[in-house]
Amino acid sequence: MDLTLKVWRQAGPGTEGRIETYDVPGISEEMSFLEMLDVLNDRLIVEGREPIAFEHDCREGICGSCGMMINGQAHGPQKGTATCQLHMRKFSDGDTIVVEPWRATAFPIVKDLVVNRSTFDEIIAAGGYISVTTGAAQEANLTLVPKAVADTAMDAAQCIGCGACVAACPNSAAQLFTSAKLAHLNLLPQGQPERWDRTVRMVGVMEQYFGSCTNHGECHEACPKEISLDFIAYMNRDYRKAIVKNRSLIAQP
Amino acid sequence: MTLNLDSKIPDGPIADKWDNQKFGMKLVAPHNRRRFDVIVVGSGLAGAAAAATLGELGYNVRCFTYHDSPRRAHSIAAQGGINAAKNYKGDGDSVERLFYDTVKGGDFRAREANVHRLAELSVDIIDQCAAQGVPFAREYSGLLDTRSFGGTQVSRTFYARGQTGQQLLLGAYQSLMHQVDAGTVELHDRTELLDVVVVDGEVAGIVTRHLHTGAVQSWSAHAVVLATGGYSNVFFLSTNAKHSNASAIWRAYRKGAAFGNPCFTQIHPTCIPASDDFQSKLTLMSESLRNDGRIWVPTEFDDKRSPDQIPAEERDYYLERRYPAFGNLVPRDVASRAAKAEVDRGRGVGELKNGVYLDFSDAIARLGRDVIEERYGNLIEMYERITDEDPYKVPMRIYPAVHYTMGGLWVDYNLQTTIPGLFAGGEANFSDHGANRLGASALMQGLADGYFVLPATLANYLADRLSRPPVPTDHPAFAEAEAAVRDRTKQLLSTGGTRTVDWFHRELGKIMWDNCGMARSTETLTKALSEIPALRSEFEKDVRILGDGDSLNQSLEKAGRVADFFELAELMCIDALHREESCGGHFRVEHQTPEGEAERDDENFSYVAAWEFTGDGNAPALNKEPLEFEYVHLAQRSYK
Ligand SMILES: Cc1cc2nc3c(=O)[nH]c(=O)nc-3n(C[C@H](O)[C@H](O)[C@H](O)COP(=O)(O)OP(=O)(O)OC[C@H]3O[C@@H](n4cnc5c(N)ncnc54)[C@H](O)[C@@H]3O)c2cc1C
Ligand code: FES
C-alpha cells in the first residue's frame, strides 16, 4: 500500500519542531508500524536526510520503550496493542498517518519522537518496592497468596511503563501508572508493612510532576496492557486511609 | 597458550564447594564498604540484582545502562519461567537432579562446580523474588505453582503468566530504585560503555558516551561488573531486543579478557517464522507452549491443504515419534535441528514453507479453551497480532531462531574474568550452560550471579584493596581511552559512504545464519571467514551515518555496535571451525551419528575454548581450560 506520513521532527530539547510530510510507497500489510518506519528511515539516509528518531527495543510489546501518537491516539488504533505490535494491515492504501511524540510536560521531548520518561522512575523510587534485603527472605511457600489476589496483583503488575496513559490523558495525569504499581504491591501480603507509607510517597511524587485525574478514562483506552481503572479507585481509597491511619494500629484491617 | 586459566574451583565434595568457598573468602566490614567504588554495567536481571545487592551492603555503586530506564533491559522479554529445585510438586526433583539435568542438557561442556552452585542457589532465588512481591502463578491453595519445560522430566519452572522475565526484572529494578532512593546506587541511564580501562594489569574503570549529549566521560572504580547480556544480534535476526549488543564484552576482550566458547549459540525451536525481507526481528513463542502443543508436519511433501483438512494419519508428530521419552519436550537444540530437517526435506508449512505446526487442538479438547487461555493467553494474542491467525482454530506456525549465546567472557568460579577486578555476570559470561542452555535457566543464572555470587566474590577481591584508592580518572590511560572513543566516533561519522548501517548488519546476519547457524561445516565456516572481512572493509568504506556525535544519533550508536559484531563474528567462526565435534547447539555436519544426532568428541574437546586477543590483524590465541566430570558421567545424551 502507499501511504503519506506526517511526522513531528524536532532536532533537540530546546528547539522548535514541525510536521514534515513523507510519501511512503510500497508498504506490505505484514509489516509492523516500526518496520514501516525502518523502511522510511533507510530511504531517508540514502537520500541524505536525517532519519526519524524513535524509541524501541523489544518489539514485542513488553519493554515499554516504543510509543507515539498515531493519528491522535496513543499507540494507534488497535486496542491493547503497543506501537511495535501494531501491524500495517490496520491501515488502508492511500491513508495519511500523523505521527507525533507523547505530549506531556513531565515527558520533555529529546528528539523527534523520543521523550524523557525519567519521572516514572522517580515515582518507583519513592516506595514502589518491597524492602527485602537479599538473603533475608523466608521460604517462599510460608506466605500463602490466594490465587485471586495473585492474579489481580499480576493484572496490575503487567504495566510496561510506556507512558501511553499520560499521553492519552487530557490532564497528563499518571494515575493509571502509579495505581497499577500500588495495587500490585499493596494487594499482596508481602506488601502490607510498607503499604501506607508507600501510598503517600508515590502519590506525592506523582502529584509533583503530573496533572490530576478527572475520570476521563482515556488512559485505560490507550493502555497496551488494558490496565483496569479499578486500580485508580483502589489507590484513592488507600490514599485516603493512609493519610488518616494511625500507623501503630496497622496490624488491624 | 599464554593465559593462566585458573578456574579457582574450591576443594571438597561438590555439594560443599560453595559453602567452603564462602567461608574461605575474605569479607569487607560494613563500615569499610562505602570506601569502595564499584561499577555495574547493565541493569538486566544480573546487573540490577548485583547493583541493588551491592548497594544494600553499603558499597558505593554506579550502575550504567544505555536504556532510558533500567526496567527496559532485554530481560524484560523473557516469557516462560525460571527453574528452581524446590520440589514443591513432589515429583522427584532435587538440587542434584537440577545439577544433573543442566550438565547433561549442556552436553557436558560446563563446569560441574558452577552448575552445582547454580542449582543450590535456585531455591534462594525463588524465596527472594517471592518476598519482593513477584506475582508468581499460584495454585488455589495459595501455594506457588510450577510447570515443566524442555529437557526435564519434573515440574520445576516457576512463572508469572507468560511474562516471567518482566516480573523478575521489575522485582530487581524496584530493589535497584530503592537503593537509588537510599543514595547507595548512582544510576546512569542512557549511558553506554565504550571502553574498559586497564592499568598495571588490573581494571581501573570505564569510558562511556552519553547517548543524548554525546559526552564522553571516564569513571574509575575498584571493581567493574559487566552484566551486559548476550550477542545473538550478531545474526541480525534473533529474538533479542533490537539494541542488545556485544560491545561491552568485546571491548573487554580487546583489553585482555578471554572470550569463552564464542561459537556456542542457542537456536530456539519455537519462534514465529520470518515473513519477508523487511523483517526486523524474530518473535519467540515461549517454549512452555510445548507442554500442551504438539508439533507436526504433513507426511506428504508440499502438502497444500489447510491443516484442519489433514487427517491424523497424514500428520507426522516427528518429535513424539523420534523421542518417545521426552516427546515434544526434548531440549532446544534437538527440537530445532529436527524442525530444520523437516523443512529442509520439503515438509515445511506456511506460504514460504518455512515452518512446522504447533497444534493446541488436542489440549483444547482435553482441558478446555479456558485453561489454555489462562496458561498462554498473552502469547496466543501476540501471535495473532503478528500473523493475523487464530491459534485456537489453526495451529501456530513456528521455526527455530537464534535466541541465546552460551559463549561470553571467560570467568573463573568467582565470576572474575582474566582481567583482575573485572567481573562478568548473566548472559555476558560464558556461564554455566555449556554447549546448550535448558529453558528457564538463564533467568536463574542471571539472578544467582547478581543476587548471590557477585556480592560475595567481589568482597573477597576488594578486601585486599582497602588502603588503595582507585586509579584517578586523570591517569593517562583514561585520557588515551577517551581519545580512542572520540576518534572512533569521528571516523564513523566521516566515512560518507552510501549504505545504511542496517544494510550491513543484515548482510552480516545472513552470512552468519547460513554458515555459522544451525549446521556448520568446514566449508561453510571457511566461506564465512572470507566473506566477513570483505564485508567489513566495505562497511569501513561505504557506511553512511548522518548527523553529529553531540546529540542523540541512533545510526551512530548502531554503527559502533555493528563494527564490533564484525570482529566477534569472525571469532565465532574461528571457534566453530576449531571445534571438530558436535555438542549442544554447535552442530558440525561432519560429526554426527548415523541417526543424525550430535556426536561429541570427549577425548579431544572436553575443554572450554578461551580466546585471547593478540592485536588487530593477528589470529586470536587459543587457551584451554580442561573440563573434568567427577559427578555426572560423560555419556552421549539420549532423549529417546
Ligand atoms: C524472547 C526471549 C525469551 C526468553 N525467555 C526466557 C525464559 O523464559 N527463561 C529464561 O530463563 N530465560 C529466557 N530468556 C533468556 C534471558 O531472558 C536472558 O538470557 C537474560 O534475561 C539476560 O539477562 P542479563 O541480565 O544477562 O542481560 P540483559 O537483560 O540483556 O541486560 C543487559 C543490560 O546491559 C546494558 N548494556 C549492555 N551493553 C551496554 C553498554 N555497552 N553500556 C551500558 N549498558 C549496556 C543494557 O542496557 C541492559 O541493561 C529469554 C530470552 C528471550 C530473547
Ligand atoms: S519496543 Fe518494546 S514495547 Fe514496543
Side-chain angles (χ1 to χ4, degrees):
Chain A
M1 52 180 133
D2 299 337
L3 303 166
T4 305
L5 240 59
K6 290 179 173 294
V7 185
W8 183 261
R9 302 301 308 264
Q10 181 172 333
T15 61
E16 230 167 87
R18 68 199 175 282
I19 292 275
E20 284 199 13
T21 307
Y22 305 96
D23 289 329
V24 193
I27 291 301
S28 150
E29 294 210 323
E30 304 290 312
M31 281 184 193
S32 70
F33 198 84
L34 298 185
E35 283 167 349
M36 183 271 296
L37 288 179
D38 290 343
V39 168
L40 171 59
N41 272 346
D42 273 359
R43 195 189 84 206
L44 291 179
I45 294 170
V46 171
E47 290 170 1
R49 297 196 277 169
E50 261 207 60
I52 301 160
F54 63 90
E55 288 269 24
H56 66 99
D57 199 20
C58 73
R59 298 203 175 192
E60 289 188 8
I62 194 76
C63 72
S65 296
C66 68
M68 43 194 90
M69 301 301 283
I70 301 172
N71 288 336
Q73 280 178 295
H75 289 305
Q78 190 175 2
K79 212 170 148 31
T81 304
T83 305
C84 57
Q85 293 281 285
L86 177 66
H87 279 68
M88 296 314 291
R89 62 180 83 90
K90 299 289 167 194
F91 298 88
S92 315
D93 187 34
D95 277 0
T96 295
I97 309 174
V98 182
V99 190
E100 289 181 89
W102 291 161
R103 304 267 185 206
T105 330
F107 292 164
I109 295 178
V110 175
K111 184 176 184 175
D112 297 340
L113 305 174
V114 178
V115 299
N116 184 340
R117 291 166 287 194
S118 301
T119 39
F120 269 11
D121 292 320
E122 286 188 45
I123 294 178
I124 299 297
Y129 46 76
I130 289 171
S131 307
V132 46
T133 312
T134 302
Q138 58 172 2
E139 155 58 39
N141 259 347
L142 287 178
T143 310
L144 297 182
V145 183
K147 186 167 184 320
V149 172
D151 285 348
T152 312
M154 180 66 202
D155 288 342
Q158 287 192 71
C159 168
I160 60 173
C162 63
C165 46
V166 173
C169 175
N171 310 326
S172 302
Q175 248 77 4
L176 196 64
F177 170 80
T178 312
S179 70
K181 186 44 63 198
L182 278 168
H184 161 208
L185 301 173
N186 287 0
L187 281 167
L188 292 170
Q190 296 92 323
Q192 297 314 305
E194 293 164 298
R195 177 170 173 183
W196 313 109
D197 279 331
R198 170 187 304 124
T199 309
V200 172
R201 280 190 72 204
M202 286 176 71
V203 170
V205 174
M206 173 186 83
E207 287 180 339
Q208 189 186 331
Y209 295 111
F210 294 88
S212 38
C213 173
T214 46
N215 298 316
H216 283 267
E218 294 291 337
C219 49
H220 168 74
E221 291 303 314
C223 176
K225 293 292 161 193
E226 304 182 78
I227 305 256
S228 165
L229 290 173
D230 293 349
F231 296 129
I232 299 184
Y234 184 78
M235 171 173 79
N236 292 338
R237 212 186 58 206
D238 262 12
Y239 184 70
R240 277 195 303 274
K241 276 198 209 163
I243 50 181
V244 296
K245 190 119 189 156
N246 177 347
R247 306 254 162 94
S248 64
L249 298 179
I250 223 137
Q252 294 173 9
Chain B
M1 252 206 346
T2 52
L3 290 173
N4 170 22
L5 295 179
D6 179 0
S7 61
K8 305 218 177 72
I9 297 173
D11 293 332
I14 193 140
D16 300 338
K17 282 184 193 289
W18 179 230
D19 282 340
N20 291 349
Q21 183 82 342
K22 277 189 294 184
F23 185 66
M25 283 190 305
K26 296 182 203 91
L27 299 173
V28 178
H31 65 277
N32 279 330
R33 291 182 197 147
R34 85 185 93 85
R35 294 165 63 182
F36 289 108
D37 296 335
V38 177
I39 285 173
V40 177
V41 188
S43 66
L45 284 177
T53 305
L54 290 164
E56 274 165 26
L57 287 166
Y59 296 101
N60 237 334
V61 183
R62 286 200 173 98
C63 180
F64 294 83
T65 165
Y66 58 67
H67 283 98
D68 74 329
S69 162
R71 68 180 292 155
R72 311 221 192 273
H74 164 62
S75 295
I76 200 98
Q79 302 170 348
I82 176 165
N83 288 331
K86 283 282 197 185
N87 194 28
Y88 283 161
K89 286 276 161 85
D91 58 359
D93 200 11
S94 61
V95 166
E96 270 54 52
R97 191 171 296 275
L98 175 53
F99 161 64
Y100 173 84
D101 285 348
T102 308
V103 173
K104 176 185 169 198
D107 218 357
F108 303 92
R109 291 293 173 265
R111 219 185 259 149
E112 276 188 337
N114 285 51
V115 178
H116 201 280
R117 173 176 67 190
L118 179 62
E120 289 167 47
L121 292 173
S122 70
V123 293
D124 300 336
I125 294 171
I126 298 303
D127 296 344
Q128 179 67 23
C129 297
Q132 285 170 349
V134 170
F136 285 120
R138 300 266 165 177
E139 295 173 353
Y140 282 100
S141 57
L143 296 166
L144 288 156
D145 194 16
T146 52
R147 58 187 174 199
S148 44
F149 242 57
T152 64
Q153 290 172 312
V154 293
S155 182
R156 66 159 74 99
T157 306
F158 294 78
Y159 64 102
R161 296 206 185 131
Q163 288 132 279
T164 316
Q166 180 197 27
Q167 294 311 316
L168 294 172
L169 182 62
L170 291 181
Y173 155 71
Q174 288 163 196
S175 300
L176 175 63
M177 293 316 290
H178 182 185
Q179 294 310 310
V180 170
D181 190 45
T184 60
V185 179
E186 194 178 281
L187 180 64
H188 296 268
D189 49 26
R190 288 160 272 223
T191 310
E192 181 163 24
L193 175 155
L194 289 183
D195 214 348
V196 174
V197 178
V198 179
V199 173
D200 298 334
E202 288 184 3
V203 79
I206 63 172
V207 172
T208 61
R209 175 176 178 273
H210 193 278
L211 299 186
H212 289 185
T213 64
V216 172
Q217 206 173 338
S218 291
W219 310 88
S220 72
H222 291 91
V224 174
V225 175
L226 298 184
T228 50
Y231 51 89
S232 297
N233 277 346
V234 68
F235 291 87
F236 186 75
L237 284 183
S238 86
T239 62
N240 282 200
K242 287 291 286 175
H243 300 324
S244 295
N245 71 83
S247 289
I249 55 174
W250 193 254
R251 295 283 121 194
Y253 165 75
R254 292 179 57 98
K255 286 293 171 79
F259 204 118
N261 298 332
C263 81
F264 285 173
T265 39
Q266 177 165 78
I267 319 269
H268 194 291
T270 55
C271 304
I272 305 179
S275 62
D276 213 336
D277 283 346
F278 53 76
Q279 188 89 30
S280 61
K281 75 159 283 192
L282 294 169
T283 302
L284 175 85
M285 289 284 107
S286 166
E287 153 165 34
S288 59
L289 293 168
R290 287 200 273 147
N291 269 311
D292 288 306
R294 298 180 67 197
I295 294 176
W296 63 276
V297 290
T299 46
E300 282 296 305
F301 287 82
D302 220 14
D303 195 330
K304 295 215 163 53
R305 288 175 292 177
S306 88
D308 54 327
Q309 300 299 310
I310 303 178
E313 60 279 9
E314 288 174 46
R315 299 173 173 194
D316 182 8
Y317 294 92
Y318 58 86
L319 288 178
E320 296 171 25
R321 172 172 57 78
R322 288 174 59 185
Y323 308 99
F326 281 69
N328 292 298
L329 290 177
V330 290
R332 293 179 169 172
D333 52 336
V334 178
S336 291
R337 271 198 300 281
K340 176 175 158 51
E342 296 304 330
V343 168
D344 286 353
R345 58 200 269 228
R347 304 211 290 187
V349 301
E351 207 151 295
L352 303 173
K353 306 222 147 298
N354 61 350
V356 298
Y357 288 128
L358 177 65
D359 194 340
F360 295 97
S361 52
D362 290 338
I364 292 173
R366 194 175 71 243
L367 303 165
R369 184 186 154 130
D370 290 356
V371 174
I372 297 302
E373 195 170 335
E374 166 157 353
R375 287 187 189 160
Y376 314 110
N378 69 317
L379 297 172
I380 291 179
E381 263 171 45
M382 179 148 77
Y383 181 86
E384 203 174 341
R385 257 185 243 119
I386 293 173
T387 62
D388 215 20
E389 290 170 5
D390 177 3
Y392 294 111
K393 300 201 181 100
V394 277
M396 280 185 179
R397 288 173 295 109
I398 52 157
Y399 196 63
V402 183
H403 177 59
Y404 181 89
T405 46
M406 281 76 69
L409 291 182
W410 182 90
V411 286
D412 63 18
Y413 186 76
N414 297 328
L415 304 185
Q416 184 166 243
T417 67
T418 50
I419 301 175
L422 182 69
F423 293 75
E427 197 175 334
N429 68 28
F430 88 108
S431 91
D432 309 346
H433 308 293
N436 173 56
R437 173 174 72 76
L438 290 181
S441 287
L443 302 182
M444 171 172 74
Q445 181 229 330
L447 290 180
D449 290 357
Y451 282 132
F452 300 110
V453 182
L454 286 163
T457 58
L458 245 79
N460 184 52
Y461 174 79
L462 294 171
D464 286 339
R465 289 166 172 75
L466 195 56
S467 52
R468 282 200 249 164
V471 179
T473 51
D474 56 14
H475 187 281
F478 280 103
E480 207 177 290
E482 279 189 29
V485 163
R486 288 199 185 91
D487 280 354
R488 211 162 163 245
T489 307
K490 215 182 290 161
Q491 199 184 342
L492 286 168
L493 283 167
S494 63
T495 311
T498 63
R499 289 200 153 109
T500 66
V501 179
D502 273 348
W503 184 88
F504 286 101
H505 193 181
R506 230 177 246 282
E507 291 299 307
L508 174 65
K510 277 186 217 151
I511 297 175
M512 289 301 282
W513 178 248
D514 291 344
N515 301 298
C516 191
M518 246 188 296
R520 304 153 170 189
S521 67
T522 307
E523 191 191 340
T524 64
L525 292 165
T526 317
K527 181 158 168 265
L529 281 170
S530 80
E531 288 177 2
I532 297 166
L535 185 65
R536 180 172 146 203
S537 63
E538 212 183 318
F539 170 83
E540 282 159 6
K541 287 194 293 264
D542 196 28
V543 70
R544 166 178 288 191
I545 301 156
L546 304 170
D548 57 39
D550 309 323
S551 62
L552 178 63
N553 187 338
Q554 293 172 323
S555 312
L556 176 65
E557 293 164 26
K558 264 192 277 193
R561 297 168 190 169
V562 170
D564 288 339
F565 276 144
F566 273 115
E567 297 181 18
L568 169 59
E570 267 190 72
L571 184 68
M572 289 170 72
C573 293
I574 291 171
D575 185 41
L577 188 60
H578 114 280
R579 193 168 275 279
E580 286 280 356
E581 65 162 351
S582 294
C583 57
H586 170 65
F587 191 73
R588 284 286 301 265
V589 294
E590 300 94 333
H591 304 284
Q592 50 182 311
T593 64
E595 300 91 55
E597 305 292 348
E599 195 166 36
R600 282 200 328 263
D601 177 355
D602 292 330
E603 191 129 338
N604 296 304
F605 289 96
S606 191
Y607 61 78
V608 178
W611 296 91
E612 180 188 354
F613 183 68
T614 55
D616 282 313
N618 297 341
L622 174 62
N623 298 265
K624 297 178 185 176
E625 180 202 338
L627 290 169
E628 272 144 44
F629 293 89
E630 261 184 87
Y631 295 86
V632 184
H633 284 293
L634 275 167
Q636 203 67 33
R637 287 189 311 170
S638 167
Y639 292 93
K640 292 206 162 150

